[in-house]
Amino acid sequence: MNEPIQTPQQPALPDRLSIDPRSPHHVAAVFEHEVGITFNGKERMDVDEYCISEGWIKVPAGKAVDRRGNPMLIKLKGVVTAFYK
């Protein structure tokens, strides 16, 4: 598989990444650069969390929120690829 060329200032993309700063899978250094996610061959802009090795992404389920005001997430399974834009 062709992997994008990474410059020295871009950290390697982890296998699992979350945009939620409270998550143990949140890596702040990665978010200093723009990250793109493709899911089943299409670029997705609404991904909250992904795992490449397990092949899933979590996306918001409409306008539903939990009791703390965070969006309800659904897990979609398929082929996941992460890259720097």
Side-chain angles (χ1 to χ4, degrees), residues 49-67:
E49 187 172 352
Y50 73 81
C51 183
I52 296 172
S53 63
E54 296 177 13
W56 55 261
I57 61 171
K58 287 187 179 179
V59 295
K63 296 185 184 229
V65 293
D66 65 7
R67 62 184 176 186

Side-chain angles (χ1 to χ4, degrees), residues 16-21 23 25-27 31 48-50:
R16 187 170 177 180
L17 185 65
S18 175
I19 65 169
D20 184 6
S23 170
H25 303 290
H26 179 80
V27 181
F31 292 109
D48 277 12
E49 187 172 352
Y50 73 81

